[in-house]
Amino acid sequence: MSDNAEIKIETAPFDARFPNTNQSKHCWQAYSDYYKCIDARGEEFTPCKEFRKVFKSICPNEWVSKWDEQREEGTLPFKVKV
């Protein structure tokens, strides 16, 4: 990487629905919203990309892996289809 390269690091923006430090609900809501969004609009829809960025930023990787497995098996305990 060159010395002139600028690295931009971002995290999930503030969401007034989740004002406390525990972000568990915000995490699963963003995950759920992402898959609902791509089901309705497709992966290239810009707001869908924002949901993905949020859940990738705040959700533990283990949770996402487990939810991905459950989603593929059809055993996810919440709806991600519109």
Side-chain angles (χ1 to χ4, degrees):
M1 188 181 286
S2 72
D3 293 334
N4 296 345
E6 184 177 317
I7 299 173
K8 184 176 180 183
I9 299 174
E10 293 182 9
T11 188
F14 176 74
D15 189 332
R17 297 175 297 172
F18 310 102
N20 300 319
T21 56
N22 185 342
Q23 295 293 305
S24 299
K25 185 171 178 170
H26 188 191
C27 164
W28 83 256
Q29 187 68 55
Y31 180 89
S32 176
D33 287 345
Y34 172 70
Y35 284 100
K36 287 177 184 177
C37 184
I38 64 169
D39 184 49
R41 300 289 188 129
E43 288 185 43
E44 296 305 313
F45 190 57
T46 302
C48 294
K49 292 178 182 179
E50 289 298 313
F51 289 132
R52 184 178 192 280
K53 183 171 75 174
V54 170
F55 89 74
K56 287 289 192 179
S57 166
I58 65 174
C59 294
N61 292 334
E62 295 81 22
W63 292 7
V64 174
S65 296
K66 181 68 173 175
W67 292 338
D68 286 344
E69 287 174 20
Q70 291 176 331
R71 189 173 39 80
E72 290 168 5
E73 295 168 356
T75 60
L76 194 63
F78 51 88
K79 283 179 58 175
V80 291
K81 294 280 184 188
V82 178

